Amino acid sequence: MLPEAESDVELVLAARSGDAAALGLLVSRHLAGMKAVALSVLGYGPDAEDVVQDAALVAMRRIGELRDPAAVGPWLRAIVRNGCRMRLRETRAVPVDDMETLGLPSAEPTPEDLLQDRALRDWIWHALDELSEPVRLVALLRHFSDVSSYEQIAALCGVPVGTVRSRLSQARAKLTEALRRTADLAHDDSAAFARARRREAEEMLAAAQRGGFAGVIREHWRPDVEFIGPNGERARDDRAFALRGMETDLAHGVRQRIANVVAGRDLTIWEADLISPPDDPAHCPPGVVWLHVLRGGRVQRLRLFHPRPADPTPGSGPSAA
C-alpha cells in the first residue's frame, strides 16, 4: 500500500488511474471525519454505520468526478451527509411493515455498478470472496442476480426474511472493511474467471440436454452431493433423483438456456430460462436458478429454485427442472 506520507492530492491522482490501494488509504485516512458526520445527523446506531459504509462504496465509484483533489476530505463527508439525508427521508416515507426499500439507496451505485470499472472490478470480487459463505451468498443474489427480493432470497436460502436483512447488513459492512484490508493484494482476473464459469455452465447444460447428464454428475459433482429440488424435494439417492428430474424434463420437451452466471470462489449461481414445448407453452415456470456450493472444485450441494411460478393455465404440469 502507498505510504501514509503521500498527500491527499497524490492519492486521488493515483486512485483515478486505477490504484485501488490509494483509494483504500484515502477512505481509511478520512474515516473518522466521515463517521463524525454520520453520528451528528443520525446519532449512534446501525444507520450511521451503514451510511458510512455506503459512502465508501460510492467514493470508489465516483472518485473520477472529484474536481479538486485537495478537497477529497470535504467531498467524502458530503457523500456521507447526503446519505444521511436519504436515510432520514426513507425512514419517514417507508411504512413500518415494508422494509424492502431499506437496502442500498437506489440512487447510489450498487456493487454491480462498481464492477463496470475494470480498475476496481477484481478488487471487489476478491473482497467478496473474503466474506463468509452465508453472507456472501445473499450479497451475490441481491446485487448480481434476478433473485433479488428479500422474499426470494429467503426462499432460496431456506432462512427467514429477517435473517436475509441481517446478512445483507453484515455484507455491506464486511465488504467495505475487506476492500480496505485487501487493497494492496494481488487479485485474480475476475472477468476471465466469470467467462470460464459461464462457458463451463453452457457446456454442462448442453451435455445434459444431449442426454449426457449422468456424465456431468460423475465429473462435476462430489459422491456425497446434496441435491434439493425446486419445491424442497429430497431423496435418499441425490444423484439418481437429480438425473430422473432432468430426464423427465427432456422427455416432456423442456429445454434450458443459460441467461446469467454469477461465479465466486466456492459459490456458483446459474440463472437459466426454461423453454416449454411448443404444444404446452405453460408447462414449466419461465426460469430456474441452480445454486451450486462447491468443495474442492466439485459440487457439494445443489439447490434448484424457481424465481417465478408457472402460468397457472389449466392442463399445465410442473417442471422437474
Side-chain angles (χ1 to χ4, degrees):
M1 184 173 287
L2 291 173
E4 289 282 354
E6 295 285 345
S7 70
D8 278 358
V9 172
E10 290 169 314
L11 290 175
V12 169
L13 294 177
R16 282 178 174 174
S17 67
D19 189 326
L23 189 49
L25 183 53
L26 275 171
V27 171
S28 296
R29 180 177 291 179
H30 293 279
L31 194 58
M34 295 164 69
K35 287 183 176 180
V37 171
L39 293 174
S40 69
V41 178
L42 299 175
Y44 287 90
D47 281 353
E49 290 292 330
D50 286 349
V51 167
V52 171
Q53 291 150 11
D54 287 345
L57 295 176
V58 171
M60 292 171 190
R61 176 64 175 171
R62 296 187 173 178
I63 190 67
E65 300 175 12
L66 176 59
R67 294 182 180 180
D68 180 5
V72 65
W75 178 71
L76 288 169
R77 293 191 291 275
I79 293 175
V80 173
R81 191 172 293 106
N82 288 337
C84 291
R85 291 168 179 164
M86 292 182 66
R87 185 60 59 98
L88 289 173
R89 286 199 296 270
E90 288 172 352
T91 302
R92 287 195 296 267
V94 177
V96 176
D97 59 350
D98 181 11
M99 302 294 288
E100 173 64 23
T101 58
L102 294 184
L104 289 170
S106 59
E108 302 296 355
T110 67
E112 184 176 13
D113 296 322
L114 296 174
L115 293 180
Q116 304 308 311
D117 187 337
R118 291 192 60 184
L120 298 174
R121 181 190 59 212
D122 298 339
W123 185 26
I124 296 285
W125 275 111
H126 183 94
L128 280 168
D129 275 341
E130 292 286 300
L131 305 179
S132 68
E133 182 183 298
V135 173
R136 183 168 69 258
L137 175 56
V138 296
L140 291 174
L141 291 169
R142 176 69 170 174
H143 297 299
F144 306 113
S145 82
D146 284 338
V147 185
S148 56
S149 74
Y150 291 131
E151 290 75 15
Q152 288 178 321
I153 297 172
L156 177 52
C157 297
V159 297
V161 170
T163 300
V164 172
R165 295 191 188 110
S166 174
R167 289 179 181 175
L168 284 171
S169 178
Q170 293 177 54
R172 187 164 47 198
K174 292 184 178 180
L175 178 59
T176 306
E177 175 189 348
L179 286 170
R180 292 197 300 268
R181 191 179 65 250
T182 64
D184 58 342
L185 301 179
H187 310 306
D188 296 332
D189 186 339
S190 61
F193 180 73
R195 285 194 299 270
R197 282 291 174 86
R198 175 158 188 144
R199 240 183 350 261
E200 180 183 68
E202 291 171 342
E203 290 170 358
M204 291 167 64
L205 205 50
Q209 295 179 152
R210 291 194 301 267
F213 194 44
V216 169
I217 290 175
R218 282 194 303 271
E219 182 178 354
H220 297 281
W221 293 18
R222 292 176 60 91
D224 58 344
V225 67
E226 178 186 6
F227 177 83
I228 307 170
N231 297 312
E233 313 96 307
R234 296 171 182 261
R236 190 169 294 177
D237 186 343
D238 288 348
R239 287 180 166 217
F241 180 49
L243 183 58
R244 284 196 302 272
M246 178 62 75
E247 290 175 342
T248 300
D249 271 2
L250 294 177
H252 283 110
V254 176
R255 296 295 182 269
Q256 298 187 40
R257 179 177 56 220
I258 293 293
N260 182 41
V261 172
V262 181
R265 182 184 63 234
D266 53 10
L267 290 170
T268 301
I269 301 165
W270 298 357
E271 295 179 85
D273 298 324
L274 284 175
I275 304 170
S276 295
D279 59 346
D280 187 7
H283 179 86
C284 56
V288 62
V289 171
W290 298 58
L291 171 58
H292 305 78
V293 178
L294 308 177
R295 294 292 180 269
R298 302 179 75 189
V299 179
Q300 174 69 63
R301 185 170 73 249
L302 175 60
R303 170 77 158 95
L304 299 185
F305 178 70
H306 294 308
R308 295 177 297 282
D311 184 353
T313 303
S316 64
S319 170

